[in-house]
Every structure is written in structure tokens, then in C-alpha cells.
Amino acid sequence: MHAARLTDSLCYHGEGPIWSASWGEGGALRFVDMLAGSFLELDPASGGITRTEVPSPVVACVRPRRGGGAVLALEKGFGLQEPDGTITALPALWDEPVRMNEGAVAPDGTFWCGSMAYDRTEGAASMWRLGTDGTAIRAWGDVTISNGLAMSPDHAHGYYVDTPTGRVDVLDWDETAGFVGRRTFRDLGDEDGHPDGLTVDAEGRVWVAMNGAGRALCLESDGTVAERVEVDARQVTACTFGGEGLTTLYLTTSRENLPEGEDPAAGSLFAVAPGVSGIAEELVFGG
């Protein structure tokens, strides 16, 4: 199947799309222009786009928050958006040349986000957890480019990408310990591109963006490739389900490090209707 281009090249480094019923009038899609320090919101009815600046040179991830607003991953820590739109940056968690990169809300309402070094030093990054009380802890280290994280429909498992491994991993979710038991779900070394952001549909299949390949893959429960979504931009970064009935798969793309004029659709938002829907239960940050 082939994704349609929805927008002009709006982003330098589009990433982290997520749909929430709490945004807009009856639901909206948000995604980040990560290295521009802003996030965008798509009104699905009009197709209009609004851009919101944040108090940070980087906004890596935006996810819905209980009571309205959002939780944010900023360059060196977290931030909170109030229902009135006010954004507050929480204290920085480190001083090193490392930035947040991608994350997700867990079933207990905590927000997890991983990082990466600006120079992509192997093992220099970490996974962080923001508790509902506002306390941030380092959950694990030895990460290089922390990317997609998403839960299974029954919340028993999380799927996770550290891009240079070339794999999608699976972890068990434990209400006390958090994510545990990390192991390989699917090694994608035999596919073009590199695994980046991902999402999970209502049937438990994993959809993963393959950066550099101009496509996303749908993986069955045994890891086999069930579908390929072709995208007219090479650097596909992430995907999520949204729209009416959560039946649209939205895909973000990037023009980071591309020469001027190369890959003219890079940085655009794309969409396709793959014949399945996203998970109906929305996970929101509880703080």
C-alpha cells in the first residue's frame, strides 16, 4: 500500500505523532518538529496546522495528559503543558551533550522517554521515567539512539527500538518494576533502512517506520512482515493511528541532513488507511 502526502514539507525533523481525543474538537493529531523546538497539531476536519513553540531548543515527544494539556520530552528533561496552553519546563536531568528522543505513556500513567547523544556515541544514552508525582528517574542505560516505544493492546508488553541494534525488542510490563525482560521481537537486519518509531494496532500487530527506506512495516505477532507501506520520502521516522475510528495511519518524515532540493517531500506528513484500527484505550500521563 502507498501513503498519501497530506502536507507540504513543514518540518525539518518530523517525529513522534500521536492522536488524542482530548485535543482539538473531538480529537487531533500532534507531532513534533524535534530540532526546531516546536510541535504541530493537525485539525483533521479542516486540514489546518497550528504550531506551538516550547521553552527548549528540542521537543522530542508530546503525549496527552490527564485533565487536558500534555506531557513533553524536552532537550534535557521533561515539561508540562496546562489545559490553557501554558508550558513549563521541569529541571534539567543532565548537562552532557545528550538529548531526549522518543517515548510513550505506560499503563500506570507514567511517561517514559529515551535519549541519544548528539554525536550518537554508542551506549551514552538512557531511558527515563517521569512519575505522576513529577519525579524523574533513570530507568536503564547503555542505549545509543532510543526510539519507538508502544504498548500491546492488553498492556502486557511494550515494544521498543534502540535504532543501531537493527531490532524491535519486546519487554514485559510489571506494575511494580516497570519494563522488564527485554528480548528480541524481530531483527530487521534483512530489511532496508533502520527501525525508528513504532505503534501497535488493535489486533496487536506492530507498525514500525524504517528510516532510510521510505516505508513502514507491519509485523505480525511472530515478527513476520504482513504489510509494507510505501512513503514518498526516504526518512520515515514514526507512525500512529488516529482519525475517525482510529483507522488512519499517520506517518512523519524528516529532511535532517539532506542536501537542499533532495527528496522534496521530506518533512511532510503522510497517511494511509490500512484496513485496521489503532488501540481504542488511550494512555495518558497521570501527573
Side-chain angles (χ1 to χ4, degrees):
M1 68 183 80
H2 205 108
R5 186 181 181 187
L6 294 187
T7 70
D8 293 335
S9 182
L10 299 174
C11 297
Y12 177 69
H13 187 46
E15 262 281 12
I18 192 72
W19 176 275
S20 177
S22 67
W23 296 329
E25 298 294 328
L29 179 84
R30 288 185 179 181
F31 54 104
V32 302
D33 193 354
M34 186 180 289
L35 303 179
S38 59
F39 65 83
L40 296 88
E41 181 170 307
L42 170 70
D43 179 340
S46 68
I49 297 279
T50 58
R51 182 183 288 264
T52 300
E53 305 295 328
V54 306
S56 169
V58 170
V59 55
C61 187
V62 55
R63 292 295 184 264
R65 183 183 179 194
R66 185 179 61 194
V71 61
L72 306 165
L74 305 179
E75 183 184 31
K76 296 181 183 296
F78 297 105
L80 297 173
Q81 183 192 41
E82 304 300 331
D84 66 3
T86 304
I87 297 174
T88 302
L90 301 182
L93 300 173
W94 62 81
D95 295 321
E96 293 80 12
V98 172
R99 65 169 175 83
M100 288 293 200
N101 198 51
E102 181 63 288
V105 176
D108 63 353
T110 56
F111 180 47
W112 296 65
C113 194
S115 62
M116 62 174 285
Y118 277 100
D119 65 2
R120 307 190 179 200
T121 299
E122 183 178 353
S126 302
M127 176 64 72
W128 291 83
R129 172 190 178 273
L130 179 65
T132 57
D133 63 354
T135 301
I137 63 169
R138 181 175 177 269
W140 68 79
D142 195 25
V143 174
T144 303
I145 302 177
S146 190
N147 252 311
L149 177 65
M151 299 303 301
S152 62
D154 62 1
H155 299 168
H157 307 292
Y159 296 94
Y160 173 63
V161 169
D162 182 1
T163 292
T165 68
R167 305 188 311 261
V168 175
D169 289 342
V170 61
L171 304 96
D172 301 320
W173 172 253
D174 181 273
E175 284 292 333
T176 301
F179 290 106
V180 296
R182 181 177 167 187
R183 56 204 181 271
T184 300
F185 171 67
R186 169 64 195 265
D187 189 323
L188 292 167
D190 59 345
E191 294 284 341
D192 293 336
H194 310 282
D196 201 324
L198 55 77
T199 192
V200 181
D201 66 29
E203 299 174 9
R205 300 190 299 178
V206 177
W207 298 73
V208 57
M210 296 300 289
N211 198 323
R215 68 174 59 96
L217 303 177
C218 172
L219 306 178
E220 295 282 8
S221 59
D222 62 358
T224 58
V225 177
E227 302 280 358
R228 300 176 190 270
V229 179
E230 303 299 327
V231 180
D232 292 332
R234 189 166 68 250
Q235 296 184 158
V236 185
T237 55
C239 53
T240 197
F241 285 92
E244 185 175 358
L246 304 178
T247 56
T248 299
L249 183 70
Y250 293 98
L251 304 104
T252 49
T253 64
S254 173
R255 52 190 170 93
E256 182 183 16
N257 298 325
L258 292 178
E260 188 68 30
E262 184 177 321
D263 204 358
S268 304
L269 181 68
F270 291 79
V272 68
V276 295
S277 62
I279 299 170
E281 183 180 356
E282 188 175 330
L283 294 178
V284 300
F285 176 62

